[in-house]
Amino acid sequence: MNEPYLKIVDNRGRKIPVTALTDSIYEGSATGRRMSTWGTNTAGPSASLYGSLNRLRSRTRELIRNNPLIQGASIDNTANAISSGIFPRWDMEDKILKKDIQDLWKEFVKTADYYGVSSLYGIQALEWQGLLDAGEMLCRKIPRSASLGLPVPLQFQLLEADHLDETYNTVSPSGNEIRMGIEINRDNQRVAYWIWSEHPGESYITQRAIAQRVSIPAYDIEHIYLPIRAGQMRGRPWMSAIIVKCHEYDQYDDAELVRKKGAAMFGGYFEEEGGLPAGDPSAFFGRSTTTDDANREIAPLEPGSWLRLPRGVKVNYSKPADVGENYDVYNKQQLRQISRGIPGETYEQLTGDLSGVNYSSIRAGSLSARRIIEFLQREVMIFKSCQSKAAAFMDAAVISGILPIRDYYDNRGKYLKIDWRPDGWPWVDPVKDQLADQMAVRNGFKSRSAIIAKSGGDAETVDREISEDNSRADALGLIYDSDPRQTQKSGAIQAAADQTVVDSTKT
């Protein structure tokens, strides 16, 4: 049978057979014996998570509960991303209104938690923890009664991803499609979330009704997650890629520990050569013979003893094999791979091992990790959580009359212009870093506001504090080396230095 040819030809005018284009050109797509069963799943972005999320969440949480490295990494990662909070700074020309909003926000932060156990910044930390162990978190906005005396009649209820059943796929009473617990309309817009009224993993003796799915409008729910594929409807636990690696490494480390304990328990054995039996070993060991759990005789050895063995007895000591230096090398290799599977975590942060690092290497590793954290802060926390909460806060404050802004709904976007500022990163080398910032400002590459914002501060607040400090120092007749109005960089008094310049020009 003649081989089919395409109508196109190569650069010599020859027809190209169809098989020449269908054969695998890339080794990664080969279907031979080595690659035939690997990586052939073509499931879509949401279908690949269907049926797996529950197990992924459970196993990640198991690692955080019982693996000290992963538990430490979870706390360390949250502290780096959230620290004392991601703070809002309203950007508006009306300074009085801005101060009123900022002051109201400070009061609101203390009462924002529906459960009353965390501040708003504590909620941020829990959301980040939820992203690590479950890949997603739900936050419900709940309007509250004015009679409760809250600064703003609004609170937020955090719900773990388990409340949203990823296996729930059906048609809603309104005719919309429900995919993985999320109701969408014909335009693929989210209109509601079908959420369990109680956590499906909890079990209480309660008089409440049996847990059931409740439809909550989408505008009342913040679905916080990082999609890694376009169209992905649910979040994937951020540590999914290291579940097997961590589990097997933990088993290996436990096995090595058990092997060493077993080797340490076995001291040696007696070998009798020809002749009469040696008799009771306690006679030459100095202590009574005891027995183990299997009723076998054990001759205890006292420290600092010089033993005279009976004729015909030879002692053989246990010499268990040891992995030696390979153990440390293997450990570091495994832990480096594990650290790469935790966003924004370095090997040094994961293990606390700073051996072999210098200023340049630790700085390079820290900068890369910080860039990852900053990306996640911006695209996940600020975009999907912080901005939504601030908008709900402003809406509730205006509707309740706490903030009397007449043109709010006509210019809502203007009042929601917010600069979100996470805590600044500590300097790796304070002197070098501050000198670099100083040069950037003096050379016109950055503003003072940008430098202050990078450290998590607010330029207006800093300027006000400096002005207050200077006024207080002037009133008390105090001169500090840190005041450039009074002293030079070298510490010399500015007035004396200026007089020296004047005298030198006269001569």
Side-chain angles (χ1 to χ4, degrees):
M1 182 176 179
N2 294 331
E3 184 176 18
Y5 285 85
L6 299 179
K7 294 183 180 180
I8 59 175
V9 296
D10 61 14
N11 57 3
R12 295 186 180 180
R14 296 174 299 187
K15 292 183 178 179
I16 302 175
V18 173
T19 55
L21 295 181
T22 57
D23 289 343
S24 177
I25 298 176
Y26 293 95
E27 292 182 358
S29 65
T31 57
R33 177 178 58 84
R34 293 172 57 206
M35 305 287 286
S36 60
T37 60
W38 184 73
T40 57
N41 191 312
T42 59
S46 295
S48 61
L49 295 173
Y50 178 82
S52 299
L53 275 179
N54 188 47
R55 192 175 294 115
L56 288 174
R57 288 193 298 261
S58 299
R59 289 178 174 173
T60 303
R61 289 167 181 163
E62 178 69 16
L63 287 175
I64 294 175
R65 280 192 296 264
N66 293 310
N67 188 309
L69 288 174
I70 303 304
Q71 181 190 45
S74 174
I75 296 172
D76 177 73
N77 201 266
T78 303
N80 281 333
I82 306 301
S83 188
S84 57
I86 302 177
F87 306 94
R89 298 300 301 178
W90 268 262
D91 181 12
M92 57 180 59
E93 297 179 358
D94 189 335
K95 303 303 179 185
I96 296 177
L97 178 59
K98 176 179 178 180
K99 185 178 184 304
D100 290 342
I101 295 174
Q102 294 286 171
D103 291 343
L104 183 61
W105 175 266
K106 289 180 182 179
E107 293 302 314
F108 171 69
V109 163
K110 304 172 187 176
T111 61
D113 183 16
Y114 176 77
Y115 299 111
V117 296
S118 300
S119 71
L120 181 59
Y121 301 125
I123 289 177
Q124 291 178 354
L126 283 173
E127 287 174 342
W128 191 272
Q129 289 272 7
L131 292 169
L132 287 170
D133 68 31
E136 56 186 343
M137 182 66 83
L138 303 172
C139 183
R140 183 183 177 189
K141 308 167 192 174
I142 303 180
R144 306 293 277 168
S145 171
S147 62
L148 294 176
L150 300 172
V152 175
L154 172 72
Q155 288 183 318
F156 300 113
Q157 180 187 22
L158 283 186
L159 301 169
E160 287 194 325
D162 309 63
H163 282 269
L164 191 62
D165 186 359
E166 67 273 8
T167 65
Y168 187 51
N169 297 279
T170 184
V171 177
S172 72
S174 63
N176 289 326
E177 185 177 354
I178 299 176
R179 298 181 183 177
M180 303 182 80
I182 304 172
E183 182 178 342
I184 58 176
N185 60 22
R186 294 184 178 180
D187 296 326
N188 284 329
Q189 301 298 309
R190 303 182 182 210
V191 296
Y193 287 80
W194 289 78
I195 294 176
W196 287 112
S197 58
E198 297 285 346
H199 193 294
E202 297 284 22
S203 177
Y204 296 115
I205 300 176
T206 178
Q207 295 181 351
R208 296 181 183 178
I210 298 175
Q212 55 185 347
R213 291 187 181 92
V214 179
S215 176
I216 300 178
Y219 55 76
D220 281 338
I221 293 290
E222 295 171 1
H223 189 190
I224 307 162
Y225 72 102
L226 175 70
I228 56 175
R229 295 177 64 182
Q232 182 177 322
M233 298 191 69
R234 300 291 300 269
R236 186 201 72 174
W238 286 1
M239 292 191 282
S240 295
I242 61 171
I243 289 175
V244 175
K245 174 71 69 175
C246 288
H247 178 61
E248 293 188 342
Y249 171 76
D250 205 28
Q251 287 184 315
Y252 164 79
D253 200 50
D254 282 346
E256 182 62 22
L257 177 61
V258 171
R259 186 188 70 79
K260 287 183 177 294
K261 288 171 64 177
M265 290 178 182
F266 182 65
Y269 55 91
F270 298 103
E271 180 181 347
E272 295 185 5
E273 297 178 350
L276 298 175
D280 185 4
S282 64
F284 51 87
F285 271 90
R287 296 176 61 186
S288 300
T289 303
T290 59
T291 57
D292 61 11
D293 294 339
N295 204 33
R296 292 172 298 198
E297 288 190 347
I298 302 173
L301 179 64
E302 293 181 349
S305 301
W306 292 84
L307 309 177
R308 185 187 297 276
L309 298 178
R311 181 182 303 171
V313 175
K314 179 181 178 183
V315 178
N316 291 319
Y317 292 98
S318 172
K319 297 179 181 179
D322 194 357
V323 293
E325 296 180 358
N326 293 333
Y327 178 74
D328 187 52
V329 173
Y330 176 80
N331 266 356
K332 286 187 175 181
Q333 177 61 27
Q334 295 301 303
L335 293 174
R336 287 191 180 101
Q337 293 184 30
I338 290 172
S339 67
R340 290 297 294 169
I342 305 174
E345 198 73 10
T346 65
Y347 166 80
E348 289 76 20
Q349 291 172 335
L350 177 68
T351 63
D353 179 14
L354 298 178
S355 61
V357 302
N358 53 38
Y359 170 78
S360 299
S361 63
I362 196 69
R363 180 179 175 84
S366 297
L367 290 177
S368 176
R370 289 176 183 181
R371 190 172 291 269
I372 295 172
I373 292 291
E374 288 169 354
F375 162 73
L376 296 174
Q377 286 173 332
R378 183 180 62 253
E379 290 301 317
V380 182
M381 289 302 299
I382 294 175
F383 182 71
K384 294 188 175 180
S385 171
C386 298
Q387 191 65 28
S388 175
K389 287 180 174 62
F393 159 79
M394 289 295 295
D395 291 346
V398 172
I399 291 173
S400 63
I402 297 173
L403 288 176
I405 306 175
R406 294 184 178 181
D407 64 336
Y408 176 76
Y409 291 104
D410 293 330
N411 300 284
R412 187 169 179 265
K414 181 180 72 172
Y415 294 103
L416 294 180
K417 291 177 63 177
I418 302 172
D419 182 16
W420 291 94
R421 298 182 181 177
D423 266 357
W425 295 100
W427 287 302
V428 177
D429 187 326
V431 175
K432 291 182 179 179
D433 290 340
Q434 287 197 53
L435 286 175
D437 288 342
Q438 182 185 29
M439 291 175 61
V441 173
R442 294 181 67 87
N443 293 335
F445 300 142
K446 286 185 179 180
S447 65
R448 285 180 59 255
S449 296
I451 298 299
I452 295 172
K454 184 179 69 171
S455 63
D458 176 66
E460 293 180 3
T461 302
V462 172
D463 289 344
R464 184 176 65 253
E465 291 173 350
I466 292 175
S467 177
E468 292 172 355
D469 287 347
N470 289 340
S471 298
R472 186 168 56 253
D474 291 344
L476 297 174
L478 302 176
I479 297 177
Y480 295 101
D481 286 348
S482 59
D483 187 351
R485 302 173 307 147
Q486 305 288 348
T487 62
Q488 292 182 334
K489 184 178 179 181
S490 61
I493 302 299
Q494 285 279 24
D498 293 341
Q499 185 62 41
T500 301
V501 174
V502 173
D503 292 342
S504 63
T505 55
K506 290 181 178 179
T507 57

